[in-house]
Amino acid sequence: MKFLSVLPLVLVASFAVATAQHPQSNLSFEVASIRPGADADAEMIAIRMNAERSMIHYVNVSLRDMIRVAYNIKEFQVTGPDWIRNRFNIEAKYPAGATEDQVPEMLQSLLRDRFKLQFHNETKDHAVFALVVGKNGPKLKPSEVKATDYPDSPNRKPGTPVRGDLQIMGSPTGMHLKGPALTLSRLCETLSMFVDQPVVDRTGLPERYDIDLTFMPENMRMRGGPGGPGQGADGGTEAQPRITLFEAIQDLGLKLEPRKAPLQMLIVDHIEKAPTEN
């Protein structure tokens, strides 16, 4: 089983872009260590974004993803120079009195101060897939994973899944998406990785749900899956499952519909390739 590049994120993203005309946040991390991560073109790497009660722990996180979290937008809403794909490892401590909910504000300050980020916003019509409720209603059960189930919580039992943490695993049988207490907005963000246009949440369902999906992306079907075709007991090639993402999502009582939607885009005008020194 191979872990693919995925960003388990405990923050909920929306489509409201913070504009350059809004007052800049003065809230900053008390201290932040930023060091180079894996190569931007690496295919099989561990990527993690954890925001805890007192610190963030980011592993192999790209500048694009830091921008996306800082301004509560999706990856496809960020455009800029090629080096926004550069990856970094970040350990940053909140100042006294700050909370996890203020991580985006602190990331804005970090990007502005350490990477000299400058940007503007544009609104463009974009082809999307809308995640909507199927005709027979959703087949989702609200998660029972509590907000206290974070890595640094003294009440968290060993081995308990982390709330809002999504794993993607690849094998010859397809992609397996699994995570506890996910918002459907978070799920849509991940589904966008496997189709040719953004996926947006139009379900109107506000709860967090335990998600477990297995499907075969089209590009993997052509390649025979990660690492090549699966091998059968007789050494031959196993038949690949035919279930697509569009079919798998129906098991949740949901469906994907093609639509057009105006999306706000964050256009990076300037950003440094590397941060100022720690």
Side-chain angles (χ1 to χ4, degrees), residues 28-32 92-96 106:
S28 302
F29 292 109
E30 181 177 309
V31 61
K93 183 180 180 182
Y94 308 165
M106 292 183 276

Side-chain angles (χ1 to χ4, degrees), residues 12-248:
V12 179
S14 73
F15 279 90
V17 178
T19 67
Q21 288 72 34
H22 286 184
Q24 292 183 332
S25 171
N26 292 320
L27 184 64
S28 302
F29 292 109
E30 181 177 309
V31 61
S33 170
I34 308 176
R35 303 197 180 280
D39 186 89
D41 295 319
E43 293 183 358
M44 304 299 291
I45 57 176
I47 301 177
R48 193 171 188 85
M49 298 180 82
N50 274 353
E52 300 177 359
R53 293 182 302 172
S54 60
M55 294 189 68
I56 63 168
H57 306 275
Y58 285 5
V59 178
N60 292 325
V61 173
S62 69
L63 283 170
R64 181 194 296 273
D65 281 300
M66 283 189 263
I67 294 170
R68 140 180 102 74
V69 176
Y71 292 97
N72 288 335
I73 55 177
K74 308 296 185 182
E75 181 177 349
F76 56 78
Q77 291 175 278
V78 182
T79 63
D82 184 63
W83 57 86
I84 63 173
R85 298 169 58 242
N86 290 357
R87 301 183 185 280
F88 296 90
N89 298 326
I90 302 176
E91 298 278 333
K93 183 180 180 182
Y94 308 165
T99 68
E100 179 197 343
D101 291 338
Q102 294 170 298
V103 166
E105 294 178 65
M106 292 183 276
L107 279 175
Q108 289 177 30
S109 295
L110 184 144
L111 288 163
R112 184 178 65 248
D113 298 339
R114 302 287 296 275
F115 289 93
K116 311 305 178 186
L117 172 65
Q118 298 176 24
F119 66 90
H120 71 278
N121 298 280
E122 296 179 7
T123 300
K124 298 180 179 180
D125 282 336
H126 204 297
V128 302
F129 286 115
L131 183 68
V132 299
V133 175
K135 64 179 181 180
N136 294 321
K139 301 175 184 177
L140 296 163
K141 181 180 179 182
S143 178
E144 296 181 358
V145 178
K146 304 294 191 298
T148 53
D149 291 332
Y150 283 95
D152 64 343
S153 171
N155 299 322
R156 181 171 178 256
K157 297 178 181 179
T160 301
V162 179
R163 186 174 186 258
D165 199 358
L166 178 61
Q167 268 191 344
I168 300 182
M169 294 166 283
S171 76
T173 61
M175 303 305 301
H176 186 193
L177 278 62
K178 187 173 183 179
L182 294 174
T183 63
L184 294 184
S185 175
R186 172 71 180 95
L187 176 63
C188 286
E189 184 176 353
T190 301
L191 296 183
S192 298
M193 299 167 57
F194 301 102
V195 290
D196 58 1
Q197 55 202 42
V199 179
V200 297
D201 179 18
R202 293 293 183 265
T203 63
L205 301 175
E207 302 289 339
R208 288 177 176 262
Y209 305 95
D210 295 337
I211 300 297
D212 195 335
L213 274 178
T214 300
F215 60 93
M216 181 63 71
E218 287 301 315
N219 61 343
M220 285 174 55
R221 291 161 67 88
M222 292 186 289
R223 295 198 310 264
Q231 298 296 312
D234 59 357
T237 301
E238 290 181 347
Q240 298 295 329
R242 294 184 177 275
I243 186 167
T244 67
L245 171 58
F246 295 87
E247 295 166 332

